[in-house]
């Protein structure tokens, strides 16, 4: 994406936040804000018309909330899903879980530093990066099966279909499981490669294999699957 302009749509019902996002993103030479909307219905309409590289979407909006916007633009069954980046205050974590299952490829705290916003947009443009790892891990860790109460079936699997974590088309190898654990805990590909003493290309190959086996669209879904199955706590089976 370094030689291309990342086209961004901003959807937020607060004018001051839209203006702030536009100012921060517009100051970057590789990012262009192509539209901004104040409600979810307009966001879906404009996104489908303009096909931006990234849709920066608030959760709480009139007409359609960000969860439904995400489902319509990136959810299961969408033939050409877009990259949706959720902007949230995390006051209700369940909103974020649903957004993830609806196809969101990243999460952003509204009160985060400007540099994190541009980093998050660039990551979302690739469709395969977790941003703000400590926040994401905190959210995803709540998906881990509890050992203190009877297991409750999750609302959906990592890929958004069915009544529980998806079952891999083929068993994951031990090295693939190692890579998935690190990704689910917020490691970048480079950090995973360093911790496992393998090359960056090897990590990418393992992730591609896992993505195929899980029918996952990005590493966010892989991470969600790892937490839902208990793989991160050592108790999951893949």
């Amino acid at each position: 994406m370094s030689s291309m302009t990342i086209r961004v749509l901003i959807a937020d019902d607060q004018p001051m936040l839209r203006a702030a996002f536009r100012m921060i993103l517009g100051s970057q030479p590789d990012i262009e804000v192509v539209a901004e909307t104040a409600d979810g219905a307009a966001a879906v309409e404009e996104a489908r018309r303009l096909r931006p590289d990234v849709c920066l979407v608030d959760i709480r909006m009139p007409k359609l909330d960000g969860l439904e916007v995400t489902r319509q633009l990136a959810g299961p069954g969408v033939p050409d899903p877009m990259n949706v980046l959720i902007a949230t205050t995390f006051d209700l974590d369940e909103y974020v879980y649903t957004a993830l299952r609806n196809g969101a490829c990243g999460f952003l705290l509204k009160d985060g530093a400007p540099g994190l916003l541009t980093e998050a947009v660039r990551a979302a443009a690739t469709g395969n990066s977790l941003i703000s790892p400590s926040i994401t891990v905190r959210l995803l860790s709540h998906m881990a099966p509890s050992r203190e109460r009877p297991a409750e079936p999750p609302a959906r699997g990592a890929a958004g279909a069915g009544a529980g974590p998806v079952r891999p088309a083929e068993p994951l190898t031990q090295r693939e499981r190692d890579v998935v654990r690190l990704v689910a805990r917020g490691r970048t590909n480079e950090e995973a490669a360093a911790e496992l003493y393998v090359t960056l290309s090897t990590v990418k190959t393992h992730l591609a294999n896992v993505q195929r086996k899980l029918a996952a669209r990005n590493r966010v879904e892989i991470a969600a699957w790892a937490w839902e199955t208990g793989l991160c706590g050592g108790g999951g089976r893949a």
Side-chain angles (χ1 to χ4, degrees):
M1 301 298 297
S2 59
S3 62
M4 300 173 60
T5 298
I6 301 172
R7 301 168 64 253
V8 179
L9 177 147
I10 300 171
D12 197 298
D13 63 343
Q14 299 182 51
M16 290 184 63
L17 275 174
R18 292 200 309 273
F21 287 159
R22 176 183 282 276
M23 180 181 66
I24 294 168
L25 296 175
S27 69
Q28 301 300 305
D30 60 332
I31 299 176
E32 176 188 5
V33 177
V34 296
E36 58 180 80
T37 69
D39 67 76
V44 171
E45 181 179 350
E46 286 295 276
R48 288 174 173 168
R49 181 176 71 86
L50 297 171
R51 299 293 307 180
D53 300 302
V54 176
C55 299
L56 178 60
V57 177
D58 184 23
I59 286 184
R60 293 178 172 175
M61 293 187 292
K63 297 188 179 179
L64 291 178
D65 65 24
L67 304 178
E68 179 62 18
V69 170
T70 302
R71 188 191 68 79
Q72 292 193 24
L73 297 180
V78 174
D80 190 10
M82 300 185 202
N83 296 317
V84 178
L85 173 64
I86 295 295
T88 180
T89 56
F90 291 161
D91 50 335
L92 284 176
D93 284 354
E94 183 57 35
Y95 283 0
V96 184
Y97 306 150
T98 304
L100 185 151
R101 294 183 175 112
N102 283 359
C105 67
F107 307 106
L108 177 71
L109 275 173
K110 283 186 176 181
D111 59 358
L116 182 59
L117 173 63
T118 56
E119 175 191 346
V121 166
R122 292 187 179 107
T126 69
N128 65 357
S129 295
L130 287 172
I131 52 93
S132 205
S134 62
I135 296 170
T136 306
V137 168
R138 168 186 153 255
L139 291 168
L140 295 180
S141 65
H142 290 303
M143 295 178 173
S146 173
R147 296 182 181 181
E148 298 178 358
R149 64 179 185 273
E152 298 176 0
R156 295 181 202 65
V166 297
R167 184 178 299 277
E170 306 169 30
L172 271 60
T173 66
Q174 183 58 52
R175 186 56 87 183
E176 288 168 353
R177 291 160 61 91
D178 293 340
V179 170
V180 168
R181 284 193 188 95
L182 293 177
V183 166
R185 293 189 180 280
R187 305 295 197 276
T188 65
N189 288 353
E190 291 81 2
E191 290 169 340
E195 290 192 38
L196 296 174
Y197 301 100
V198 298
T199 65
L200 178 59
S201 62
T202 297
V203 169
K204 290 181 177 179
T205 298
H206 287 317
L207 279 177
N209 290 337
V210 172
Q211 189 168 336
R212 173 182 56 81
K213 291 178 179 181
L214 297 179
R217 289 171 298 176
N218 52 51
R219 66 195 289 134
V220 175
E221 291 186 350
I222 292 173
W225 175 86
W227 283 105
E228 287 185 311
T229 56
L231 181 61
C232 290
R237 295 182 180 276

